[in-house]
Amino acid sequence: MRLFKPLYEMAMRWAVHPRAEPYLGGLSFVEAFIFPVAPELMLAPMTLAKPLRAWRYATISLAGSLLGALIGYALGHYAFDAVKPLFADLGWLPAIETWVGRLRADAAAHPWGVFLTLVLAGFVPVPLKIFTWASGIVGVPLLPFIASMAVGRGKRVYLLAALLRYGGRRAEQLLHQHIEWLGWAVLGALGLLGAWWFWLH
C-alpha cells in the first residue's frame, strides 16, 4: 500500500509555499502543547527543498516549540483539573501521571534534577506535550524547564537540519526513492521502541 510517498510529495509542495516558515513555526508551537503532528514532518522537506536555509528553519521550529512549551506549562499549572477528563479520553492521562511522579521525585531531590530528566526524555517515544503539561502540573522551576526544552528539542531539529543540509540533493533523491519502505520501517521501529519502553515501566 502506497502511503508515505504521496504524503512526502505533498509535504514537499508545502515546503516551498510562500508561507512555509510561518506554518512551520505555528506547527511547532501547537505541537508542544496539544497538536499530535511532529514539526519534523514539515522541517525535513523544507530543508530538503532549500538546504541553505536549514539552520533558519531549525531555529524557527525551535522558537515555536519553546513558546508552545510555555503554553503547555501554563495550562498544566492552571488548567489541568479542567481538562483531565479530556486527557483520559485521549489516552494521555497515564503517561502524564507517570511523568508527574518522576518529575516530583526529581524536583524534591534538587531543582535542577528535572533538567537531565527532561533532556533525556527527548529520546523516548513520548510526545513533547506530555512533558510540558507534566512540568506545569509539578511546578518545575521555569529556568530548568526552558533550558531542558531548548536542549531536548534543539538537539532534534538541529541534528535533522544538519543531516539533510549536508546530505543535500542526494539525500532528497534517496529519500524520495525509498520513502515507502523507510516509512514503514520507522513506524515498526517506533512501535517496538514504544512497547519496550512501556514494558520496562
Side-chain angles (χ1 to χ4, degrees):
M1 181 176 65
R2 293 177 74 253
L3 173 63
F4 294 97
K5 191 168 184 178
L7 291 174
Y8 172 77
E9 291 171 346
M10 181 175 64
M12 287 298 288
R13 290 194 297 270
W14 289 352
V16 294
H17 190 280
R19 297 189 61 79
E21 290 185 4
Y23 292 159
L24 174 63
L27 175 60
S28 301
F29 173 75
V30 297
E31 184 270 341
F33 62 93
I34 193 65
F35 200 61
V37 177
E40 288 89 343
L41 294 178
M42 190 168 184
L43 174 63
M46 287 177 66
T47 303
L48 287 170
K50 297 181 179 179
L52 294 179
R53 296 191 178 184
W55 310 126
R56 176 183 175 89
Y57 294 154
T59 301
I60 290 171
S61 183
L62 178 58
S65 292
L66 291 179
L67 290 174
L70 288 173
I71 299 297
Y73 182 99
L75 290 172
H77 197 71
Y78 297 108
F80 178 63
D81 289 337
V83 297
K84 195 172 182 179
L86 173 62
F87 283 170
D89 291 339
L90 291 172
W92 295 1
L93 196 56
I96 290 177
E97 291 178 337
T98 295
W99 283 99
V100 164
R102 292 179 188 177
L103 292 175
R104 280 185 174 146
D106 291 339
H110 192 278
W112 279 87
V114 296
F115 174 80
L116 183 59
T117 299
L118 290 171
V119 168
L120 293 177
F123 290 101
V124 301
V126 179
L128 177 64
K129 61 192 70 64
I130 299 297
F131 304 120
T132 61
W133 278 82
S135 297
I137 295 165
V138 172
V140 171
L142 274 177
L143 185 57
F145 171 71
I146 290 298
S148 66
M149 291 294 105
V151 174
R153 179 49 61 98
K155 72 182 185 306
R156 286 174 53 177
V157 295
Y158 284 108
L159 178 60
L160 177 62
L163 289 173
L164 298 178
R165 164 70 177 85
Y166 296 113
R169 185 55 55 186
R170 177 172 173 78
E172 194 277 331
Q173 291 171 347
L174 288 172
L175 187 59
H176 189 268
Q177 183 180 355
H178 302 292
I179 187 65
E180 204 63 43
W181 72 263
L182 281 172
W184 289 112
V186 169
L187 275 185
L190 287 175
L192 291 173
L193 186 58
W196 173 77
W197 173 261
F198 287 111
W199 179 73
L200 287 180
H201 299 83

